[in-house]
Amino acid sequence: MHTLWKSVHIVVVSFYVSALLFSDCMAYEEGNHSSSHKNTNNKVYKMNQQKTSDIAVHGLLLWASTGFLMPLGILLIRGSIKAEPGSRRSKLLFYLHVAFQMLSVLLATVGAAMSLKKFENSFDNNHQKLGLALYGAILVQGLIGFFRPHRGKKERSYWYLLHWILGTIVSLVGVINIYTGLKAYHKRTLKSTTLWTILFTVEVTIIGLVYLFQDKVEYMKKQGVIIGSESSILSSNQDIPQSQTQKELLPVACGRKRNALENLFD
């Protein structure tokens, strides 16, 4: 009997020791699991923060390229047309146009390289599809600009038409793709893009108004000169004495030959 109780005591003690060791082992595994889970969350957070920053830099580069420098270059080259050919102002505006367009191509290239390297480009959304087509058109437009024929050649007219049409398309598609990029940024990061959308819309509106009024400024100035001239003529006619006006309108006798200037100043 004493031996039986001793055996039971040994079994009970062994059970408690095993349970204690098992609980310690489970606590250790849970601690490792929670620690690894925290590390994983930290890595994911850091990765998301890095990706968000990369997306913001990508958007800034493409905005500077297609949303600012390209439209500004278009306004400059339109302004050079109004200047006297070969003048210092005409040359300055032309070289600024070339510099801005070359810089925009460089920024677009950096933005496209960043997109291919750091983002998932499955090209299953409108922003990525438009961006791919837009970058190809930007490169073609840059090459067309370098191979500009000299004035007086027959190819110059065809070159100008192609350069103008493609440049207009690139600018319009670039503006549209910036809007799709803001939408994609909001969808991926869940951050509000309302302020940036409003600011970009204001910028596009201002550029559009300047573009429309560039051709009308000289016309409006000429209209002011014509209206001023007409009013000055009318006022000068009103200052002429009535007797002098009647004298000028006196009929000339048919039998006497007189010069028109003689009749006017007689």
Side-chain angles (χ1 to χ4, degrees):
M1 188 71 178
H2 180 71
T3 305
L4 179 62
W5 279 109
K6 188 176 181 179
S7 300
V8 172
H9 181 71
I10 292 172
V11 170
V12 171
V13 171
S14 300
F15 175 76
Y16 276 110
V17 170
S18 300
L20 183 61
L21 292 174
F22 180 75
S23 62
D24 290 340
C25 183
M26 290 296 294
Y28 178 75
E29 289 182 357
E30 287 179 0
N32 287 338
H33 180 71
S34 62
S35 178
S36 62
H37 185 66
K38 288 181 180 179
N39 291 333
T40 303
N41 287 338
N42 289 334
K43 289 180 180 179
V44 170
Y45 177 76
K46 290 180 180 178
M47 187 180 298
N48 288 336
Q49 286 293 103
Q50 183 64 37
K51 184 170 287 188
T52 301
S53 300
D54 292 339
I55 293 173
V57 172
H58 168 78
L60 181 63
L61 289 172
L62 270 298
W63 164 80
S65 173
T66 60
F68 181 71
L69 289 175
M70 283 189 180
L72 186 59
I74 292 175
L75 296 180
L76 289 173
I77 199 64
R78 283 168 61 86
S80 69
I81 297 175
K82 304 294 183 180
E84 185 179 353
S87 63
R88 180 179 298 178
R89 181 172 179 269
S90 176
K91 291 180 179 179
L92 177 62
L93 293 175
F94 172 75
Y95 287 124
L96 284 175
H97 166 79
V98 174
F100 285 168
Q101 301 307 85
M102 290 178 64
L103 183 58
S104 67
V105 173
L106 178 61
L107 293 178
T109 303
V110 175
M114 177 181 289
S115 176
L116 293 174
K117 183 179 180 180
K118 297 189 175 183
F119 306 146
E120 298 174 358
N121 293 287
S122 56
F123 298 102
D124 57 350
N125 58 64
N126 294 330
H127 179 67
Q128 293 177 348
K129 292 176 182 178
L130 280 177
L132 181 63
L134 178 63
Y135 182 66
I138 288 173
L139 292 180
V140 173
Q141 177 73 344
L143 291 175
I144 291 175
F146 275 110
F147 294 102
R148 180 173 61 110
H150 294 287
R151 291 184 181 273
K153 289 189 175 182
K154 184 179 180 181
E155 298 83 7
R156 176 79 178 206
S157 300
Y158 302 109
W159 171 87
Y160 175 80
L161 182 63
L162 179 61
H163 191 61
W164 172 68
I165 291 176
L166 187 59
T168 304
I169 293 174
V170 166
S171 296
L172 292 177
V173 175
V175 169
I176 294 172
N177 208 36
I178 289 174
Y179 281 112
T180 61
L182 289 171
K183 185 177 179 180
Y185 178 80
H186 170 69
K187 186 177 181 181
R188 178 168 293 189
T189 63
L190 299 179
K191 292 184 177 181
S192 176
T193 58
T194 304
L195 177 62
W196 301 113
T197 303
I198 293 174
L199 291 176
F200 184 63
T201 303
V202 171
E203 179 206 338
V204 172
T205 303
I206 293 173
I207 291 175
L209 290 175
V210 173
Y211 182 89
L212 292 175
F213 276 99
Q214 270 187 317
D215 289 337
K216 301 299 181 183
V217 171
E218 295 297 327
Y219 178 77
M220 292 169 66
K221 289 181 179 179
K222 291 179 180 178
Q223 289 297 307
V225 170
I226 293 173
I227 293 173
S229 300
E230 291 178 351
S231 60
S232 62
I233 292 172
L234 289 175
S235 61
S236 62
N237 287 338
Q238 291 176 358
D239 294 337
I240 299 175
Q242 186 176 0
S243 59
Q244 183 178 352
T245 306
Q246 292 177 353
K247 184 178 180 181
E248 291 176 357
L249 298 178
L250 287 175
V252 181
C254 297
R256 184 180 177 185
K257 294 181 180 180
R258 301 190 61 177
N259 191 290
L261 289 175
E262 184 181 351
N263 184 37
L264 181 61
F265 295 104
D266 189 14

